[in-house]
Protein backbone atom coordinates (compact mmCIF):
# COMPACT_ATOMS: atom_id res chain seq x y z
CA UNK A 1 0.00 0.00 0.00
CA UNK A 2 1.06 3.59 -0.66
CA UNK A 3 -0.14 6.12 1.92
CA UNK A 4 1.07 9.69 2.30
CA UNK A 5 3.92 8.89 -0.08
CA UNK A 6 5.24 5.89 1.91
CA UNK A 7 5.02 2.11 1.34
CA UNK A 8 3.30 -0.26 3.79
CA UNK A 9 3.19 -4.08 3.58
CA UNK A 10 0.08 -4.32 5.76
CA UNK A 11 -3.07 -2.25 5.90
CA UNK A 12 -5.92 -0.88 3.83
CA UNK A 13 -6.02 2.38 1.90
CA UNK A 14 -9.16 3.90 0.43
CA UNK A 15 -10.85 7.10 -0.65
CA UNK A 16 -14.33 8.49 -1.06
CA UNK A 17 -15.99 10.38 -3.92
CA UNK A 18 -18.34 13.30 -3.55
CA UNK A 19 -20.35 12.26 -6.60
CA UNK A 20 -22.53 9.15 -7.08
CA UNK A 21 -20.71 5.84 -7.62
CA UNK A 22 -22.17 2.75 -9.30
CA UNK A 23 -20.68 -0.72 -8.77
CA UNK A 24 -20.69 -3.76 -11.06
CA UNK A 25 -19.26 -7.04 -9.73
CA UNK A 26 -18.23 -10.00 -11.89
CA UNK A 27 -17.50 -12.99 -9.67
CA UNK A 28 -16.12 -15.29 -12.40
CA UNK A 29 -14.43 -13.68 -15.41
CA UNK A 30 -13.93 -17.07 -17.08
CA UNK A 31 -17.71 -17.07 -17.77
CA UNK A 32 -17.85 -13.41 -18.85
CA UNK A 33 -19.41 -12.88 -22.31
CA UNK A 34 -19.21 -9.10 -22.57
CA UNK A 35 -22.56 -8.21 -20.96
CA UNK A 36 -23.21 -5.61 -18.24
CA UNK A 37 -26.35 -4.54 -16.40
CA UNK A 38 -28.38 -1.90 -18.26
CA UNK A 39 -28.29 0.75 -15.54
CA UNK A 40 -24.61 0.36 -14.75
CA UNK A 41 -23.41 3.52 -16.51
CA UNK A 42 -25.11 6.94 -16.25
CA UNK A 43 -24.91 9.72 -18.82
CA UNK A 44 -22.83 11.71 -16.30
CA UNK A 45 -20.13 9.06 -15.91
CA UNK A 46 -16.64 10.55 -16.26
CA UNK A 47 -14.44 7.69 -15.09
CA UNK A 48 -14.31 3.93 -14.71
CA UNK A 49 -12.35 2.29 -11.89
CA UNK A 50 -11.53 -1.32 -12.78
CA UNK A 51 -10.02 -3.84 -10.37
CA UNK A 52 -9.39 -7.43 -11.45
CA UNK A 53 -7.85 -10.58 -10.10
CA UNK A 54 -4.51 -10.59 -11.91
CA UNK A 55 -4.79 -14.30 -12.70
CA UNK A 56 -8.36 -14.17 -14.02
CA UNK A 57 -9.24 -15.17 -17.56
CA UNK A 58 -10.76 -12.76 -20.09
CA UNK A 59 -9.32 -9.51 -18.76
CA UNK A 60 -8.71 -8.27 -22.35
CA UNK A 61 -12.34 -9.15 -23.21
CA UNK A 62 -13.53 -7.21 -20.16
CA UNK A 63 -11.58 -4.10 -21.16
CA UNK A 64 -12.65 -4.38 -24.81
CA UNK A 65 -16.31 -4.74 -23.79
CA UNK A 66 -16.17 -1.74 -21.47
CA UNK A 67 -14.59 0.42 -24.15
CA UNK A 68 -16.89 -0.65 -26.97
CA UNK A 69 -20.14 -0.48 -25.00
CA UNK A 70 -19.59 2.77 -23.13
CA UNK A 71 -18.30 6.30 -23.48
CA UNK A 72 -14.93 6.53 -25.24
CA UNK A 73 -13.95 9.94 -23.88
CA UNK A 74 -14.04 9.00 -20.19
CA UNK A 75 -11.00 8.00 -18.15
CA UNK A 76 -10.35 4.33 -17.38
CA UNK A 77 -8.03 3.45 -14.51
CA UNK A 78 -7.43 0.45 -12.30
CA UNK A 79 -5.19 -2.47 -11.52
CA UNK A 80 -4.89 -6.19 -10.86
CA UNK A 81 -4.61 -7.79 -7.45
CA UNK A 82 -3.33 -11.14 -6.26
CA UNK A 83 -0.58 -13.08 -4.55
CA UNK A 84 2.66 -13.96 -6.37
CA UNK A 85 2.93 -17.03 -4.12
CA UNK A 86 -0.63 -18.45 -4.20
CA UNK A 87 -2.49 -17.64 -7.43
CA UNK A 88 -5.77 -19.03 -6.04
CA UNK A 89 -5.81 -16.77 -3.00
CA UNK A 90 -8.86 -14.45 -2.96
CA UNK A 91 -7.83 -10.82 -3.47
CA UNK A 92 -11.05 -8.91 -4.30
CA UNK A 93 -13.75 -7.98 -1.81
CA UNK A 94 -17.16 -6.35 -1.66
CA UNK A 95 -19.35 -5.61 1.35
CA UNK A 96 -20.54 -9.23 1.38
CA UNK A 97 -17.84 -11.38 -0.25
CA UNK A 98 -14.11 -12.08 -0.62
CA UNK A 99 -13.32 -13.81 -3.90
CA UNK A 100 -10.83 -14.59 -6.69
CA UNK A 101 -11.05 -14.88 -10.47
CA UNK A 102 -13.31 -11.88 -10.97
CA UNK A 103 -13.52 -8.11 -11.29
CA UNK A 104 -15.04 -5.07 -9.59
CA UNK A 105 -15.92 -2.03 -11.72
CA UNK A 106 -17.04 1.36 -10.43
CA UNK A 107 -18.36 4.32 -12.41
CA UNK A 108 -17.71 7.80 -11.04
CA UNK A 109 -19.34 11.11 -11.94
CA UNK A 110 -16.18 13.13 -11.28
CA UNK A 111 -13.37 14.24 -13.56
CA UNK A 112 -10.02 12.61 -12.90
CA UNK A 113 -6.85 13.09 -14.91
CA UNK A 114 -4.46 10.31 -15.92
CA UNK A 115 -0.71 10.16 -16.57
CA UNK A 116 0.92 6.95 -17.87
CA UNK A 117 4.61 6.18 -18.41
CA UNK A 118 7.23 3.48 -17.87
CA UNK A 119 10.71 4.50 -19.07
CA UNK A 120 11.82 1.11 -20.41
CA UNK A 121 13.86 1.22 -23.64
CA UNK A 122 13.91 -1.34 -26.51
CA UNK A 123 17.13 -3.31 -27.10
CA UNK A 124 15.90 -5.38 -30.06
CA UNK A 125 14.40 -4.82 -33.48
CA UNK A 126 10.62 -5.32 -33.83
CA UNK A 127 9.51 -8.95 -34.34
CA UNK A 128 6.17 -10.70 -34.84
CA UNK A 129 4.59 -13.01 -32.28
CA UNK A 130 3.96 -15.55 -35.01
CA UNK A 131 2.22 -18.12 -32.79
CA UNK A 132 0.71 -17.76 -29.32
CA UNK A 133 -2.06 -18.86 -26.98
CA UNK A 134 -3.07 -15.97 -24.68
CA UNK A 135 -0.19 -15.89 -22.15
CA UNK A 136 1.97 -18.45 -23.91
CA UNK A 137 4.10 -17.29 -26.84
CA UNK A 138 5.04 -20.24 -29.01
CA UNK A 139 7.18 -18.48 -31.59
CA UNK A 140 8.59 -15.05 -32.42
CA UNK A 141 9.55 -14.42 -36.04
CA UNK A 142 8.86 -18.14 -36.54
CA UNK A 143 11.64 -19.01 -34.06
CA UNK A 144 10.81 -20.77 -30.76
CA UNK A 145 9.88 -17.92 -28.43
CA UNK A 146 12.15 -18.84 -25.51
CA UNK A 147 15.11 -19.35 -27.84
CA UNK A 148 14.51 -15.92 -29.40
CA UNK A 149 14.14 -14.18 -26.03
CA UNK A 150 17.23 -15.87 -24.56
CA UNK A 151 19.36 -14.89 -27.55
CA UNK A 152 18.45 -11.19 -27.24
CA UNK A 153 18.85 -11.06 -23.45
CA UNK A 154 22.11 -13.02 -23.35
CA UNK A 155 23.64 -10.82 -26.02
CA UNK A 156 22.73 -7.62 -24.15
CA UNK A 157 23.34 -8.82 -20.57
CA UNK A 158 26.47 -10.84 -21.29
CA UNK A 159 25.29 -13.75 -19.15
CA UNK A 160 23.65 -17.11 -19.83
CA UNK A 161 19.91 -17.24 -19.12
CA UNK A 162 18.90 -20.43 -17.30
CA UNK A 163 15.85 -21.75 -15.46
CA UNK A 164 17.58 -20.97 -12.15
CA UNK A 165 18.31 -17.32 -12.88
CA UNK A 166 15.43 -16.59 -15.26
CA UNK A 167 13.26 -14.43 -13.00
CA UNK A 168 16.22 -12.50 -11.60
CA UNK A 169 17.49 -11.63 -15.10
CA UNK A 170 14.12 -11.26 -16.83
CA UNK A 171 12.96 -8.60 -14.35
CA UNK A 172 15.32 -6.26 -16.23
CA UNK A 173 14.13 -7.38 -19.68
CA UNK A 174 10.35 -7.23 -20.22
CA UNK A 175 8.74 -7.85 -23.58
CA UNK A 176 6.97 -4.91 -25.16
CA UNK A 177 4.12 -4.74 -27.67
CA UNK A 178 4.85 -1.98 -30.16
CA UNK A 179 1.70 0.02 -30.97
CA UNK A 180 0.94 1.99 -34.14
CA UNK A 181 1.76 5.31 -32.42
CA UNK A 182 5.14 4.09 -31.15
CA UNK A 183 3.93 3.38 -27.59
CA UNK A 184 5.28 0.22 -25.98
CA UNK A 185 2.92 -1.88 -23.81
CA UNK A 186 5.02 -4.09 -21.55
CA UNK A 187 4.59 -7.71 -20.53
CA UNK A 188 6.45 -9.66 -17.82
CA UNK A 189 8.13 -12.96 -18.86
CA UNK A 190 7.72 -15.63 -16.18
CA UNK A 191 9.73 -18.50 -17.67
CA UNK A 192 9.99 -21.12 -20.33
CA UNK A 193 7.58 -23.94 -21.11
CA UNK A 194 7.44 -27.05 -23.24
CA UNK A 195 8.91 -26.83 -26.75
CA UNK A 196 10.74 -23.57 -25.92
CA UNK A 197 7.57 -21.55 -25.37
CA UNK A 198 7.65 -18.35 -23.30
CA UNK A 199 5.11 -17.79 -20.52
CA UNK A 200 3.97 -14.22 -19.81
CA UNK A 201 2.13 -12.80 -16.83
CA UNK A 202 -0.56 -11.13 -18.96
CA UNK A 203 -2.17 -11.99 -22.29
CA UNK A 204 -1.18 -10.43 -25.61
CA UNK A 205 -3.09 -10.37 -28.91
CA UNK A 206 -2.08 -12.57 -31.83
CA UNK A 207 0.38 -11.12 -34.33
CA UNK A 208 1.58 -8.48 -31.88
CA UNK A 209 4.76 -6.65 -32.87
CA UNK A 210 7.22 -7.28 -30.04
CA UNK A 211 10.47 -5.80 -28.78
CA UNK A 212 12.66 -6.80 -25.85
CA UNK A 213 13.09 -3.82 -23.52
CA UNK A 214 15.63 -2.99 -20.83
CA UNK A 215 15.36 -1.00 -17.65
CA UNK A 216 17.55 1.73 -16.19
CA UNK A 217 16.47 2.95 -12.73
CA UNK A 218 17.12 6.62 -13.49
CA UNK A 219 14.99 6.48 -16.65
CA UNK A 220 12.15 4.68 -14.86
CA UNK A 221 12.13 7.24 -12.07
CA UNK A 222 12.18 10.12 -14.56
CA UNK A 223 9.25 8.51 -16.40
CA UNK A 224 7.25 8.44 -13.16
CA UNK A 225 7.85 12.17 -12.81
CA UNK A 226 6.64 12.69 -16.38
CA UNK A 227 3.44 10.72 -15.65
CA UNK A 228 2.78 12.93 -12.62
CA UNK A 229 3.42 16.11 -14.63
CA UNK A 230 1.08 15.02 -17.42
CA UNK A 231 -1.68 14.15 -14.96
CA UNK A 232 -1.37 17.45 -13.08
CA UNK A 233 -1.37 19.53 -16.28
CA UNK A 234 -4.45 17.68 -17.58
CA UNK A 235 -6.30 18.23 -14.29
CA UNK A 236 -5.49 21.92 -14.05
CA UNK A 237 -6.33 22.55 -17.71
CA UNK A 238 -9.77 21.01 -17.21
CA UNK A 239 -10.69 22.08 -13.69
CA UNK A 240 -8.75 25.40 -13.47
CA UNK A 241 -7.67 24.53 -9.90
CA UNK A 242 -4.80 22.43 -8.51
CA UNK A 243 -5.52 18.77 -7.66
CA UNK A 244 -5.90 17.69 -4.05
CA UNK A 245 -5.20 13.96 -4.29
CA UNK A 246 -3.01 11.70 -6.41
CA UNK A 247 -3.68 7.98 -6.75
CA UNK A 248 -0.61 5.94 -7.78
CA UNK A 249 -1.16 2.57 -9.44
CA UNK A 250 2.32 1.10 -9.69
CA UNK A 251 3.55 -2.33 -10.74
CA UNK A 252 4.93 -4.79 -8.19
CA UNK A 253 7.38 -6.12 -10.82
CA UNK A 254 8.56 -2.56 -11.44
CA UNK A 255 9.11 -2.05 -7.71
CA UNK A 256 11.03 -5.34 -7.51
CA UNK A 257 13.32 -4.09 -10.27
CA UNK A 258 13.83 -0.69 -8.62
CA UNK A 259 14.31 -2.29 -5.17
CA UNK A 260 15.20 0.48 -2.69
CA UNK A 261 14.87 3.15 -5.34
CA UNK A 262 11.09 2.71 -5.39
CA UNK A 263 11.16 5.41 -2.70
CA UNK A 264 12.85 7.74 -5.20
CA UNK A 265 9.98 7.05 -7.61
CA UNK A 266 7.36 7.95 -5.00
CA UNK A 267 9.35 11.05 -4.08
CA UNK A 268 9.52 12.38 -7.64
CA UNK A 269 5.76 11.84 -8.07
CA UNK A 270 5.14 13.78 -4.86
CA UNK A 271 7.46 16.59 -5.96
CA UNK A 272 5.84 16.91 -9.40
CA UNK A 273 2.33 16.72 -7.91
CA UNK A 274 3.00 19.51 -5.41
CA UNK A 275 3.23 19.78 -1.64
CA UNK A 276 -0.54 20.18 -1.18
CA UNK A 277 -1.41 16.96 -3.02
CA UNK A 278 -2.02 13.86 -0.87
CA UNK A 279 -0.34 10.75 -2.34
CA UNK A 280 -1.85 7.26 -1.94
CA UNK A 281 -2.26 4.05 -3.95
CA UNK A 282 -0.95 0.52 -4.30
CA UNK A 283 1.45 -1.83 -6.04
CA UNK A 284 -0.42 -4.28 -8.26
CA UNK A 285 0.11 -7.13 -10.70
CA UNK A 286 -0.95 -5.04 -13.69
CA UNK A 287 -2.12 -1.52 -14.45
CA UNK A 288 -5.24 -0.50 -16.38
CA UNK A 289 -5.50 2.96 -17.89
CA UNK A 290 -6.63 5.24 -20.67
CA UNK A 291 -6.28 9.01 -20.79
CA UNK A 292 -9.67 9.28 -22.53
CA UNK A 293 -8.28 9.82 -26.03
CA UNK A 294 -6.74 6.37 -26.47
CA UNK A 295 -7.89 2.77 -26.29
CA UNK A 296 -7.92 1.29 -22.80
CA UNK A 297 -4.81 -0.83 -22.12
CA UNK A 298 -3.62 -3.45 -19.67
CA UNK A 299 -0.05 -2.56 -18.71
CA UNK A 300 2.80 -4.26 -16.86
CA UNK A 301 5.92 -2.59 -15.40
CA UNK A 302 4.23 0.81 -15.77
CA UNK A 303 3.18 3.59 -13.41
CA UNK A 304 -0.22 5.30 -13.62
CA UNK A 305 -0.77 8.59 -11.77
CA UNK A 306 -4.39 9.72 -11.33
CA UNK A 307 -5.33 13.10 -9.90
CA UNK A 308 -8.59 14.45 -8.51
CA UNK A 309 -10.03 17.11 -6.23
Amino acid sequence: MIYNGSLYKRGVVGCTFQSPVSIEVIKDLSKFKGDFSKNFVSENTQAFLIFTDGYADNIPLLLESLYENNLKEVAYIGGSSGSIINIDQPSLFTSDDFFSGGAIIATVEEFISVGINHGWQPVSEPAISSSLDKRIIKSINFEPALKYYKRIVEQDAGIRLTADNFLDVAKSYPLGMLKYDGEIILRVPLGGGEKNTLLLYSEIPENSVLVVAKGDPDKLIAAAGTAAEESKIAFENKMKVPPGKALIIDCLARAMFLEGRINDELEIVANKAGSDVFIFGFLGLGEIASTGDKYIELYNKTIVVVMGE
Side-chain angles (χ1 to χ4, degrees), residues 220-240:
L220 267 66
I221 291 166
T226 299
E229 285 181 325
E230 291 174 350
S231 186
K232 184 175 184 179
I233 290 171
F235 186 87
E236 291 179 342
N237 285 345
K238 173 72 174 182
M239 303 302 291
K240 310 304 180 185

Side-chain angles (χ1 to χ4, degrees), residues 70-103:
N70 296 292
L71 304 172
K72 307 297 189 298
E73 294 79 16
V74 301
Y76 295 85
I77 62 102
S80 296
S81 62
S83 167
I84 60 174
I85 299 173
N86 178 10
I87 66 174
D88 295 321
Q89 180 175 312
S91 60
L92 296 172
F93 67 92
T94 60
S95 59
D96 61 355
D97 200 7
F98 187 38
F99 60 99
S100 61

